[in-house]
Every structure is written in structure tokens, then in C-alpha cells.
Amino acid sequence: MGVGPALREGRHTVATWGATSPADRLRMSYWFDPGYSQFLHAVEVGTSPDSTIRIVVPHDLDIYTYWAFYELMPRNIIQAGDLRTPGVVAVYCNSPCSMPSGGIRIAHGFLIRP
């Protein structure tokens, strides 16, 4: 299971204080959707650090955006409503979803390069 730079580099949040291992920190950090950490790791691996990425998630919860910004640094994450054109659209699926032609399958979703 992959972890983003925040957990690899030992940075902690209040939610993970007291965790005794990287696996514990990972589980505690992604309590809201355990598959999301694997998705973010796949986005990290599949994009360059200077990428501009739009993250599409199935739920309108700020915590998804927070972790995308935090884990994908230094990539530029743009949100819905931002008129800039992303270099990559990363779509997270927490249940089976269809991928458009030209998409690249990654853990728990796919990437589209518009």
C-alpha cells in the first residue's frame, strides 16, 4: 500500500498522534475512505511534480480536497469551478466505475490527460 510524502517523511497530523507505525498513521488518516490513500499514491506516481491536476471525487467533502493538496505537494491541485485547464484529471471511484477511452487505469480510479 502506498503512502504520500506526508506519511513517508514522518509528518503527522493531530488525527495520527499516538499511532505507532506508518500503517497505523495511514489507517487513522484515511478513516473516511481507506481506498483514497492508494488512489492519491497512484496519482503521485502517474504525474510529474509540476503537474496541474483536477481531482474528481464522488463526495463533496472537504477532507478529500485537503488530503489531495497535502499528499500531492508540490503538484498544483485545482478545484471544481476553477477555470484553469488541468494537465491531468484524476477521477476517484470508491465503487466500480466506467473509464472513458483514452483514460489510464490507476488504483481506485483513472487519469485523463485532456
Side-chain angles (χ1 to χ4, degrees):
M1 178 179 315
V3 297
L7 293 178
R8 277 198 308 276
E9 295 169 11
R11 297 188 303 245
H12 305 282
T13 65
V14 172
T16 63
W17 288 349
T20 58
S21 71
D24 284 344
R25 284 192 297 278
L26 183 66
R27 180 180 45 74
M28 292 169 73
S29 295
Y30 290 93
W31 57 267
F32 62 97
D33 193 335
Y36 194 55
S37 81
Q38 294 172 356
F39 168 75
L40 289 177
H41 179 69
V43 172
E44 178 186 19
V45 169
T47 60
S48 65
D50 63 344
S51 295
T52 298
I53 305 168
R54 181 177 317 276
I55 302 287
V56 178
V57 295
H59 305 290
D60 186 23
L61 298 174
D62 290 341
I63 196 162
Y64 284 94
T65 303
Y66 168 83
W67 279 109
F69 276 98
Y70 190 69
E71 293 288 347
L72 296 175
M73 291 185 295
R75 291 156 188 83
N76 185 24
I77 307 301
I78 57 177
Q79 299 176 321
D82 189 320
L83 299 178
R84 292 177 288 170
T85 302
V88 177
V89 177
V91 179
Y92 175 63
C93 305
N94 60 1
S95 60
C97 62
S98 60
M99 180 177 67
S101 64
I104 302 165
R105 178 72 59 193
I106 61 171
H108 298 278
F110 54 89
L111 300 176
I112 303 168
R113 298 186 191 277

